[in-house]
Amino acid sequence: MSTTVDFPIHNPVEDILRMDRIPTIWCPGCGIGTSVNSFAYALLSTGIELKKVAIVSGIGCSGRVSGYTKMDSFHVTHGRAIPFATGLKLANPELTVVVYSGDGDLTSIGGNHLIHAARRNMDLLVVCVNNMIYAMTGGQAAATTPGAAISTTTPYGSFEPELNIAHLVDAAGASFVARWTVFHVKMLEKTMKEALSKKGFRFIEVLSPCPTLYGRRNNLADGLAAMKDYKERSKIRNGAPTHETALVQGGEIVVGKFVDRERPDYLTLMRQQLGANYHPLPPQPDENPEAGVAKEDCCSC
Amino acid sequence: MTHANPNSVLTGTHFMNGDAACCEGLLAAGARFAAGYPITPSTEVVERFAARTPKTGGLFIQMEDELAASIAIQGMVWAGEKSFTVTSGPGFSLMMEHIGYAAMTETPCVFVDVQRGGPSTGLPTLPAQGDMMQARFGSHGDYLTIALVPDSPQECFDLAVESMNLAERFRIPVMFMMDECVGHMTEKVVIPPAEQIPVYPRRRTTKKPGEYLPFAPGEDLVPEMAHAGEGHGLFVTGLTHDDRGYPLMNPAQQHKLVNRLFDKILRAADDLVMVEEEGMEDAEAVVICYGITSRVARRGIQLAREKGHKVGLMRLKCVWPFPEKLVHGLAGRMKAIVVPELNLGQVVLEVERCAAGQCRVIRLPHAGGTVHKPADIVAAIERGMA
Amino acid sequence: MLTEIRIAGFGGQGVILSAHVLGRAAAIGQGGYATMTQNYGPEARGGAASAALVVSDEPILYPYLTEPDILVVMSQEAYSRFTPELKEGGVLIVERDLVHMDSKALGRRVYSIPATRIAEELGKKMVLNVVMVGFLCAITKAVDREACREAVSDSVPSRFKELNLNAFDRGYDYGIELLKTNPEPTRQGSVSHVELESANW
C-alpha cells in the first residue's frame, strides 16, 4: 500500500510545458532542461500572450525542446529551424518566433541559415544550446568541439579549431548576441527576457554540459563537475569584443551580453522601402466563414 | 470550393510565357507568400512573383539555398498562408528532404520544378523530363505525391491553380512538373475572371483548443488544419506521431500513419485521373505522353494518320498517381502503346507495369536538350503496328 | 497556314520584344495562334540574341522552328549564323547598315531597310526593332497591320507609345514603297551578286 500526497503546488513553468510529455529524454546532468527553465521564467515575465508564441527546433537533443513546450511548436528537419521560423514570422508577423536548438543543428548543418538570418536581421530569437558535441547520435565531434577534445569520431583528439558562434553571428549582423552557461540561470533568464522584448535577430548561446557523451571522454563525467568547471572558468565581460570570446579547451569562458545594436529588422526595412507600394493584407473573400478562428488584421507592424 | 480573390487575378488575354503563367496561376490560387532560390530556367516565376506581391499583400523572400526555400514555405503555410517554391533539377534534388517533411507533417504546398537536362548541372537552358521519377520517389521513405504536367503556357496557369487546390484538398506537397520548353515558351494565355477560378480553401478546424486533435483523420483520411497563433498549442514533427502530433515511434503507429498518408491519395485515385484523349474511337495503337512531348506526339499522330495508321493520343495531365486502371484497360484493347518522353525511360516503366504484357509497349526515350522530331513518333508508331 | 519566323540581332536591340509584338498581334489581335521561343544561356547575353516565332491559323504543336520562312537580321553575326537555315526562297529582312551580305543570301528574297537611321531620325535609336516589325509587316503580310499596331501599343510603356507607333508606321511605309518599286527583289535561286551589292547599298 502506498500513500500519495496530493500537493496542490503549481510550478509556474508548467504553464509553458506539455506536462503530458514529461519526463524528458534528457540525461541526468544535462543542462538543456535548466535552460528551458530559465526560458520559461523569462517568457512568463514578459507577459507575451503565449498563444502568439511559436517555438521551432531542428534535430538533436536540444531540438526536442519544441516538443516539451506548450506553445505552437515545430520540430523540423536537421538544421532548418531558422528558415522554417523565417517563413512563419514573415507570413504572420504578430507571432513571437523563437528558435530553440543545438550547436550542431544551428551552426554546422544549418550554419548557412544562421549567417543569413543574422544578416537579414530577421525578427527571431535564437537560443543555441551549445554542448560541444553531437549528443543525440552518440557523441561525435561538432564544429563547436574544442580543439583536441575527444569524441567518438575524433578518438585521438579533434584536429580542428572550434567555431566561435558569437563572433560569427556578430559579424553577420545580429542585433543582439549574448552567452551564458547553465550555471548562470538567473543571468540567462534576465538576458532571455531582455532579448524577448527586442526586435531583430537575437542570439543567445547557452553552454550546457553533456556528461554522458562529452564530459565522460573529457574529464567532466558528471553534471556537478561541469557546473564547478563553468563556475571556475567563467568570466562575465559584457560588451566584450566577440573575437575575444572563443571557447578553447580549458580556457576562460567569456559570458555576458556582447552585442546590442539598433538595426531595422527585415520587415521594418521592407515596409520602409516599399512605402505606399505595399498593401499589407488586402481584403480576402471570406474563405470559409464558419471555419476556424478568424484571422485578425495581422500586420500590426 | 470558393473562388479566387480578384485582387490577385490578372483577368484578360495575355501573350506570356509559361513561367509567368505559372506565377499567375499560383497567385490566383491564393498563394501570397513564396520562397525560392534562383535557378535557370525557373527563376522567371519568382521574379514575377516578387514584382507582383507588394500589390497583392504578400511577400517573396529569396533564401540562401533551396533547402531553406523549401522549408521556409512550410513555415508560411503553418502561419496560415498558401505558399510554394520554384526550382529546377539541381535545386529539386536539394529540396527532397523537405518534400518528405511536407508529406509527413501534411503541410499543403506546391513544388514547381521547371525540368532541364540532367543529371547534375546538365543543360540549364534546355528542356528534359528527367525528374519524373524523382517527383514520385525522390524523398526517402514511403509517401505519395500528386504530380501535374502542363503542355502549354495556358496549362501552366490552369494546372498551377489545380496544383494548389489539390495540395489543399489532400494536405500534401504537390509537384508541378514543368519543363524548360513550356516555361520559356510564350503563347496566348487566357486568365478568367476571379469568380470563375475555383479555389480550394484551407481545411481549417472548427474545433476549439483542447478538443482538436491536429492529426486525427477526417472521413477522407485528411485531418483538419489549424495554424500557429490560434491557441491550439500545435506540435508538428517529422517523427512518426500520433493524432496529437506527439512522437510515437513504434511499428504499430508507423504502420497506421504511413498507410494513411498513402490511402488518403489512393482512395481518390479515380478522381485524379486527368487525361486528354484524341482519336481514340478507332485507335489500334495509342501514344501515351505528357507535357511538352505530347505536342510533338500529336503532330506525329497527324502524320501517322495521313499514312493510314489508326493511332490515338492519351495525354496525362496528372502523372502521379499513375492512372493504373485506365492504362491496364487500354492495353487490353490496343496493339501497341508508344511512350515518348524526354528521359531514358521513366513513366514508360509504369506503362509497362500496367500493360502487364497485354500489348506491345514501345519506348521512345530522348536524353533531352530538345524535343522529339514528329518523324521519330511516326517511326515508333510504325514499329508498334508492324 | 503556318509561318516560321526568326528574328536575330545583338543584345539590346529589342529582338525579343519584336518577336513578342508579332506573336501578340497574331495570337490576340488576329485571334490566331503564335508560339514564341527564345535562345537562352550564356551565348544569349550581350552578344547574339534571337527569338523564334511560329504563327498559324491552327493550334501549333511542334514549338520550335524547322525551316524558317522569314528571317530578320539586325547584326552581321546573326546574318552569318542564321541565313543558312532560312528556307530556299524565304524572305530575308536585313538592317541595311548593320549587315553586309554575301553568297549566303543567294536564293532568298532579300529586303533591306536602314532601320537604325530611321530610328535615329525619330530621336531614339532603340526603336529600330519596331521599325523592323513595321517593315516585316508590310513586306510579308504575315501579321495584320492593325493587329500589329495594337500589339505595339500594348507592349510598350505609355510614354513611349507614340514614338513606337511612329516607328512602326515608318517601317511599314518604307516596306510598301519598296514593294512598289521592287516587288520581287531577288528571284528564287537566281539572285545575282549585282543585286546583292545593291541590296547591300
Side-chain angles (χ1 to χ4, degrees):
Chain A
M1 204 188 117
S2 68
T3 49
T4 44
V5 184
D6 189 15
F7 282 111
I9 295 173
H10 176 76
N11 186 335
V13 300
E14 286 179 19
D15 290 345
I16 81 145
L17 296 180
R18 294 181 196 269
M19 295 308 289
D20 53 352
R21 295 211 64 219
I22 306 292
T24 69
I25 60 155
W26 300 316
C27 305
C30 171
I32 300 172
T34 311
S35 78
V36 172
N37 204 51
S38 293
F39 175 71
Y41 278 107
L43 183 60
L44 291 169
S45 69
T46 59
I48 298 172
E49 195 186 0
L50 292 181
K51 78 173 203 181
K52 297 296 177 190
V53 178
I55 313 283
V56 186
S57 296
I59 299 295
C61 292
S62 310
R64 293 299 182 91
V65 168
S66 62
Y68 299 122
T69 54
K70 217 186 230 169
M71 294 79 74
D72 291 316
S73 29
F74 299 91
H75 179 228
V76 302
T77 52
H78 195 17
R80 318 303 167 199
I82 287 177
F84 183 95
T86 297
L88 201 58
K89 178 70 192 178
L90 291 179
N92 188 354
E94 68 171 11
L95 295 175
T96 295
V97 182
V98 179
V99 170
Y100 214 119
S101 212
D103 52 308
D105 186 75
L106 287 168
T107 75
S108 184
I109 186 169
N112 198 25
H113 313 310
L114 180 67
I115 294 170
H116 291 282
R119 176 179 64 80
R120 292 183 183 110
N121 207 20
M122 194 53 70
D123 194 18
L124 304 172
L125 168 61
V126 177
V127 178
C128 175
V129 179
N130 182 1
N131 57 13
M132 304 182 163
I133 202 81
Y134 282 95
M136 180 73 90
T137 47
Q140 297 77 25
T144 42
T145 302
I150 309 287
S151 74
T152 60
T153 49
T154 57
Y156 308 106
S158 169
F159 310 136
E160 301 172 16
E162 64 295 319
L163 176 70
N164 180 349
I165 317 169
H167 187 34
L168 177 76
V169 292
D170 174 20
S175 59
F176 185 97
V177 183
R179 177 197 288 152
W180 295 104
T181 77
V182 290
F183 171 73
H184 303 89
V185 282
K186 287 322 270 183
M187 288 86 146
L188 178 59
E189 180 191 323
K190 186 168 159 274
T191 300
M192 284 172 156
K193 184 182 177 188
E194 186 184 354
L196 279 165
S197 65
K198 296 183 79 76
K199 278 179 83 73
F201 189 82
R202 295 143 285 156
F203 184 85
I204 301 173
E205 178 180 2
V206 186
L207 286 187
S208 165
C210 177
T212 315
L213 294 156
Y214 182 80
R216 189 155 52 92
R217 296 187 178 89
N218 293 282
N219 306 320
L220 288 165
D222 74 284
L224 190 60
M227 283 302 134
K228 282 182 181 151
D229 180 60
Y230 284 158
K231 186 184 172 197
E232 281 160 19
R233 290 201 286 139
S234 293
K235 188 165 179 196
I236 300 176
R237 283 177 64 198
N238 289 316
T242 53
H243 68 268
E244 293 174 6
T245 63
L247 295 166
V248 296
Q249 204 178 18
E252 192 174 77
I253 300 172
V254 183
V255 292
K257 182 172 83 175
F258 305 144
V259 176
D260 187 358
R261 54 167 84 99
E262 286 304 318
R263 228 190 110 204
D265 71 293
Y266 182 93
L267 283 170
T268 304
L269 209 56
M270 179 190 89
R271 291 199 184 91
Q272 271 172 17
Q273 281 179 221
L274 288 175
N277 288 321
Y278 184 66
H279 303 248
L281 282 176
Q284 297 285 306
D286 209 350
E287 292 185 339
N288 191 352
E290 273 89 326
V293 186
K295 186 156 179 175
E296 290 140 48
D297 261 349
C298 108
C299 282
S300 50
C301 3
Chain B
M1 279 284 189
T2 132
H3 63 73
N5 179 347
N7 281 326
S8 44
V9 179
L10 213 60
T11 301
T13 304
H14 308 272
F15 192 59
M16 62 168 58
N17 71 25
D19 282 350
C22 166
C23 171
E24 291 303 330
L26 291 162
L27 274 167
R32 289 182 297 167
F33 287 76
Y37 183 81
I39 185 166
T40 305
S42 72
T43 317
E44 289 90 334
V45 182
V46 292
E47 284 174 345
R48 187 179 180 98
F49 194 80
R52 293 268 281 127
T53 41
K55 296 197 172 60
T56 59
L59 176 154
F60 168 72
I61 183 165
Q62 182 174 316
M63 296 301 286
E64 48 277 7
D65 55 33
E66 285 91 346
L67 295 153
S70 55
I71 194 76
I73 63 167
Q74 301 188 41
M76 293 164 175
V77 171
W78 283 99
E81 291 293 337
K82 292 186 179 180
S83 187
F84 67 92
T85 187
V86 180
T87 190
S88 183
F92 197 50
S93 292
L94 288 176
M95 291 180 177
M96 285 302 140
E97 189 183 2
H98 290 146
I99 291 173
Y101 186 77
M104 190 60 148
T105 57
E106 303 183 69
T107 305
C109 52
V110 175
F111 287 78
V112 180
D113 177 17
V114 186
Q115 297 172 85
R116 64 192 224 184
S120 191
T121 314
L123 299 169
T125 62
L126 297 169
Q129 295 175 317
D131 308 349
M132 295 307 299
M133 279 295 178
Q134 195 180 18
R136 167 66 187 85
F137 290 107
S139 197
H140 58 277
D142 275 319
Y143 66 104
L144 284 180
T145 57
I146 293 175
L148 304 189
V149 193
D151 79 339
S152 65
Q154 180 67 53
E155 265 196 3
C156 288
F157 178 86
D158 299 341
L159 294 186
V161 175
E162 191 64 38
S163 294
M164 189 59 90
N165 285 346
L166 290 169
E168 293 293 337
R169 177 176 161 196
F170 293 101
R171 285 189 60 183
I172 53 163
V174 168
M175 308 295 120
F176 190 43
M177 303 302 287
M178 294 169 53
D179 66 76
E180 187 277 336
C181 187
V182 157
H184 278 165
M185 170 198 287
T186 305
E187 288 187 336
K188 179 162 75 180
V189 174
V190 179
I191 298 181
E195 64 271 16
Q196 291 172 23
I197 302 174
V199 166
Y200 202 101
R202 178 68 41 90
R203 304 180 62 154
R204 298 175 68 175
T205 187
T206 50
K207 294 201 174 73
K208 293 192 177 62
E211 296 168 4
Y212 168 60
L213 283 175
F215 295 92
E219 243 173 63
D220 60 354
L221 303 182
V222 181
E224 292 175 330
M225 197 163 174
H227 301 134
E230 293 175 349
H232 289 287
L234 298 172
F235 182 53
V236 176
T237 177
L239 291 167
T240 299
H241 47 270
D242 62 17
D243 289 353
R244 292 173 299 178
Y246 288 8
L248 183 56
M249 292 170 282
N250 62 44
Q253 185 59 22
Q254 170 75 0
H255 182 84
K256 192 174 155 198
L257 175 61
V258 178
N259 277 293
R260 178 173 69 75
L261 296 181
F262 255 64
D263 290 344
K264 68 177 177 178
I265 298 173
L266 287 181
R267 274 200 195 177
D270 291 343
D271 275 10
L272 291 167
V273 173
M274 294 165 62
V275 297
E276 183 186 58
E277 293 181 337
E278 209 175 278
M280 291 301 290
E281 309 74 34
D282 62 343
E284 293 167 0
V286 61
V287 180
I288 295 184
C289 49
Y290 55 91
I292 187 62
T293 308
S294 47
R295 294 173 60 140
V296 186
R298 191 171 281 146
R299 179 74 190 123
I301 289 167
Q302 283 177 355
L303 297 171
R305 282 212 169 245
E306 281 167 23
K307 291 174 125 181
H309 300 298
K310 289 179 179 164
V311 196
L313 171 118
M314 182 183 282
R315 175 165 76 92
L316 311 180
K317 294 190 201 178
C318 176
V319 170
W320 307 121
F322 191 75
E324 296 178 349
K325 281 187 240 166
L326 189 72
V327 172
H328 183 77
L330 202 61
R333 303 197 301 274
M334 295 291 144
K335 272 169 89 173
I337 299 176
V338 174
V339 186
E341 46 184 346
L342 295 182
N343 57 55
L344 298 187
Q346 295 191 13
V347 174
V348 70
L349 300 173
E350 283 293 270
V351 176
E352 286 170 352
R353 180 176 69 84
C354 297
Q358 300 176 87
C359 74
R360 249 186 241 179
V361 176
I362 308 288
R363 294 184 178 203
L364 191 50
H366 187 306
T370 183
V371 295
H372 293 80
K373 295 276 178 244
D376 303 337
I377 311 282
V378 179
I381 291 169
E382 284 175 338
R383 260 190 289 150
M385 299 293 250
Chain C
M1 223 216 13
L2 187 141
T3 309
E4 298 186 358
I5 305 169
R6 178 173 310 278
I7 304 179
F10 44 77
Q13 282 180 321
V15 164
I16 307 302
L17 181 71
S18 45
H20 191 94
V21 163
L22 286 166
R24 193 183 167 86
I28 299 176
Q30 285 180 208
Y33 297 88
T35 299
M36 182 178 103
T37 53
Q38 289 161 247
N39 280 354
Y40 283 85
E43 80 280 4
R45 306 217 190 282
S50 95
L53 182 71
V54 183
V55 295
S56 177
D57 42 18
E58 284 172 46
I60 293 158
L61 301 176
Y62 190 77
Y64 296 125
L65 303 188
T66 52
E67 198 183 32
D69 304 285
I70 300 168
L71 172 65
V72 181
V73 287
M74 300 189 237
S75 77
Q76 191 64 35
E77 190 191 337
Y79 165 80
S80 306
R81 182 164 163 206
F82 293 113
T83 307
E85 70 172 32
L86 177 63
K87 185 188 224 168
E88 192 74 14
V91 173
L92 176 63
I93 292 180
V94 300
E95 205 301 331
R96 183 177 299 163
D97 298 338
L98 298 176
V99 177
H100 186 87
M101 280 178 287
D102 57 14
S103 59
K104 281 195 280 297
L106 286 172
R108 275 78 176 194
R109 291 185 287 154
V110 183
Y111 299 87
S112 72
I113 175 170
T116 310
R117 267 186 281 159
I118 293 172
E120 277 167 355
E121 278 169 37
L122 289 167
K124 263 253 183 306
K125 194 176 158 185
M126 60 180 266
V127 295
L128 100 131
N129 59 336
V130 181
V131 177
M132 294 299 277
V133 168
F135 185 61
L136 178 145
C137 188
I139 297 288
T140 66
K141 314 280 189 297
V143 185
D144 176 68
R145 180 189 181 187
E146 275 317 303
C148 239
R149 289 188 97 247
E150 209 174 296
V152 168
S153 62
D154 288 348
S155 305
V156 300
S158 53
R159 64 187 190 283
F160 295 124
K161 203 166 276 186
E162 201 186 323
L163 172 71
N164 278 279
L165 286 174
N166 281 340
F168 178 86
D169 290 340
R170 285 288 300 274
Y172 188 86
D173 295 344
Y174 192 95
I176 295 296
E177 280 307 308
L178 187 70
L179 285 180
K180 275 187 201 155
T181 55
N182 195 3
E184 284 292 317
T186 56
R187 280 189 178 64
Q188 211 166 321
S190 66
V191 67
S192 71
H193 284 278
V194 179
E195 279 172 310
L196 269 183
E197 280 308 307
S198 72
N200 276 329
W201 175 54

